[in-house]
Amino acid sequence: MPRAIHAMPFSDHDQAAMRLAIDASLQARARGDSPFGATLVSPAGEVLLVAQNNQNTTQDCTGHAEMVLVREAAAALGPQALKGATVYASGEPCAMCSGAMFWAGIARVVFAATQQDIAQALGGPVLPTGCEELLSAARPTVAVQHGLLRAEAAAALRGAVASAG
C-alpha cells in the first residue's frame, strides 16, 4: 500500500529543514546554477547535509540537488547515513533523483514546489512521472509529502527567471 502522506501537519523541524533547502536553492541561483536545494535529515532528526544544484558550474547534467546530496552524504558520512533518512527538496524531485534516493534507502521525501510550479517558472523539459507516483509504487515504498513552504520555493523559482531577464 502506498505511503504517500497528504494531510499530516508539518512540524517546526520540518519547516526548518525545508528552509535550509530553499536557502540552498537561492545560493545555487546566485552561483549560476538551477535554483534547487536539498537537506538530508537523519532518522533521529539531525541535519546531516545541505546541497545545491550544480549542473552549470560542474557541467554535469546529473548535478541536481538531490543527486549531489546523495553523493556527498555517501562520500562524507557513509552510505548507512542515508538509510531511513528524510530528504527535504525545494522542488519536486525528478525520476532520476527519486530513483537515487530510493536506491540510497531514503525513507521519506518532502518537497515544496511541484513539477507544475517548476514548469511554470522555468519551462524546459518535464518527465511524465512525478516523485510521489514513482516512490509510492516502489517496494519498499518511500513516504512522500508535499506542499511544505511551497509558496516560498515557487517564489525562489520565479526569482531565478526575474534575475535572468
Side-chain angles (χ1 to χ4, degrees):
M1 181 168 161
R3 288 175 41 204
I5 304 168
H6 299 286
M8 187 172 148
F10 294 108
S11 69
D12 291 343
H13 181 76
D14 290 325
Q15 291 187 30
M18 184 61 78
R19 282 209 167 80
L20 291 172
I22 294 169
D23 288 346
S25 77
L26 295 170
Q27 292 169 21
R29 180 184 77 201
R31 242 192 12 245
D33 286 305
S34 295
F36 298 99
T39 306
L40 179 68
V41 176
S42 75
E46 178 186 1
V47 173
L48 299 175
L49 192 69
V50 179
Q52 305 163 11
N53 178 291
N54 66 12
Q55 285 179 279
N56 296 334
T57 54
T58 63
Q59 297 184 8
D60 177 2
C61 66
T62 68
H64 295 195
E66 301 89 346
M67 294 291 291
V68 173
L69 187 79
V70 167
R71 285 185 192 123
E72 289 182 357
L77 306 170
Q80 281 306 114
L82 295 156
K83 306 291 185 207
T86 297
V87 170
Y88 294 84
S90 64
E92 182 172 357
C94 72
M96 173 183 69
C97 294
S98 296
M101 291 186 292
F102 171 80
W103 292 114
I106 298 298
R108 178 179 174 230
V109 175
V110 181
F111 65 87
T114 65
Q115 275 189 358
Q116 182 179 9
D117 296 329
I118 296 165
Q120 286 177 345
L122 303 178
V126 177
L127 290 169
T129 304
C131 174
E132 183 174 3
E133 181 183 354
L134 186 65
L135 293 178
S136 68
R139 296 294 173 256
T141 57
V142 177
V144 176
Q145 290 179 273
H146 53 85
L148 175 61
L149 303 180
R150 179 181 177 186
E152 287 182 34
L157 292 169
R158 288 190 302 275
V161 173
S163 66

